[in-house]
Amino acid sequence: MKKTYNILGLVLLLLLIIGTFFDLGIAKVVFIEGNAYSYAFEHLAPAVYGTILMISVSLMLWTVDVKQESKLKLIWFIILYLLFTAFGLLMCYSYLGLFGAIYFVVAVVVTFIYVRKIPTDSVRLYRRVGATILLTALCSMIVVESIKPIVGRVRFRAMQGDYNLFTRWYVINGDKYLPVVSSMEEIKSFPSGHSQWAGTTLTVSLLAAALPKWRHKEKTVFLIALLYAVIVMSSRMLQGAHFLSDVTVGFGFSFLFFILFRQWLLKKESPID
């Protein structure tokens, strides 16, 4: 897997360099206003992200042996489960309506059933996998959402042909352009939140790595998750919501934290590698 990670890291660096010099030109070529493809993944990505958060805390709570774990630890896991399950439900409902809420309730039940079937000798490993997924998702989201209002980059779709509003990804604007756009959301182009959400799906490969009979398929699961992330990233560019550098960095933060926390997991659970 190290070779795959290294190649992906180099590709991301190359894309960031290309975006640094050609962001605006690429956006002019790929922008398709009101396309259904972008609309679909705009609403799907947060639902997938919410589901991943729910799975992570389910792995942490439902693998706990109530008789052996301390009450303080159990209470902490319960709080995390309720908090992020509610967050996932909110994301699904906000973007997919009643259908999203129904889907999420079913996903919660199915996840509970499968987690409870995890063999006793594997529960500690899966609990740590859950923690790795949660840490990757939260840390990358906190960083991305913290950077957005600082950079204050105008989305391509909000420029309405006035390309004087374009700034490179490393330029700090703050709320400089807020008076000339329709809302605060339109100056949150960099980095891409949807790409960060999509990048978090890479952590699903850890579920395969933790299961002995699936361990040899970790790379396949990782590549499928990567393909999904690329589709989401391209949809954001086609919508004019983000530039190439936006989606590259948004995804890049998820990838970076995934690598960091995966290394932590390997130190704790070496058989996973």
Side-chain angles (χ1 to χ4, degrees):
M1 290 301 295
K2 289 182 179 179
K3 184 178 180 180
T4 301
Y5 298 153
N6 289 336
I7 292 174
L8 179 55
L10 289 174
V11 170
L12 290 174
L13 179 59
L14 178 61
L15 290 176
L16 181 58
I17 293 173
I18 293 173
T20 300
F21 294 99
F22 302 106
D23 262 345
L24 183 58
I26 294 172
K28 290 178 182 178
V29 173
V30 303
F31 177 54
I32 304 175
E33 187 173 4
N35 67 93
Y37 166 74
S38 295
Y39 180 82
F41 283 97
E42 176 186 3
H43 291 74
L44 178 63
V48 173
Y49 182 69
T51 302
I52 289 176
L53 284 173
M54 180 271 294
I55 291 174
S56 70
V57 291
S58 294
L59 288 170
M60 295 171 68
L61 175 62
W62 301 123
T63 56
V64 169
D65 187 336
V66 179
K67 296 180 180 179
Q68 294 184 5
E69 296 292 350
S70 66
K71 290 184 179 180
L72 182 61
K73 191 173 185 178
L74 181 60
I75 291 172
W76 172 239
F77 283 161
I78 291 174
I79 292 173
L80 286 176
Y81 179 80
L82 293 176
L83 178 63
F84 289 107
T85 299
F87 180 75
L89 176 60
L90 178 63
M91 293 196 79
C92 287
Y93 179 74
S94 297
Y95 285 88
L96 297 175
L98 182 59
F99 171 78
I102 295 173
Y103 148 76
F104 191 79
V105 171
V106 173
V108 168
V109 174
V110 171
T111 300
F112 170 77
I113 293 172
Y114 274 93
V115 170
R116 295 299 294 174
K117 289 182 178 181
I118 294 175
T120 305
D121 58 351
S122 299
V123 292
R124 188 183 68 173
L125 170 58
Y126 274 95
R127 193 179 311 140
R128 286 176 171 164
V129 167
T132 302
I133 295 173
L134 182 63
L135 287 169
T136 299
L138 290 186
C139 289
S140 56
M141 182 174 69
I142 289 171
V143 171
V144 166
E145 295 303 321
S146 297
I147 293 175
K148 280 178 175 288
I150 296 174
V151 175
R153 192 183 199 186
V154 179
R155 299 183 191 271
F156 180 78
R157 67 189 180 197
M159 292 179 181
Q160 299 182 351
D162 184 4
Y163 301 130
N164 290 321
L165 298 177
F166 173 78
T167 56
R168 300 194 188 279
W169 63 269
Y170 51 79
V171 176
I172 305 299
N173 300 302
D175 60 358
K176 175 181 177 181
Y177 293 109
L178 185 57
V180 296
V181 297
S182 59
S183 68
M184 186 69 177
E185 283 301 311
E186 294 307 303
I187 59 169
K188 291 185 176 181
S189 185
F190 180 87
S192 167
H194 274 71
S195 299
Q196 175 264 314
W197 294 342
T200 302
T201 58
L202 298 178
T203 59
V204 174
S205 63
L206 295 176
L207 295 175
L211 189 64
K213 65 179 181 180
W214 272 77
R215 196 161 294 161
H216 66 287
K217 296 183 179 180
E218 179 187 1
K219 184 176 180 179
T220 301
V221 176
F222 179 86
L223 293 176
I224 292 173
L226 177 60
L227 175 61
Y228 162 75
V230 170
I231 291 173
V232 173
M233 292 159 69
S234 64
S235 74
R236 301 304 285 162
M237 292 178 64
L238 288 174
Q239 196 179 51
H242 295 289
F243 298 96
L244 176 60
S245 59
D246 299 337
V247 299
T248 300
V249 174
F251 172 86
F253 277 120
S254 288
F255 178 60
L256 175 62
F257 281 110
F258 166 70
I259 296 298
L260 289 175
F261 289 119
R262 184 179 185 275
Q263 286 302 114
W264 167 81
L265 179 63
L266 291 179
K267 290 180 180 179
K268 298 290 185 179
E269 301 285 349
S270 56
I272 198 173
D273 200 14

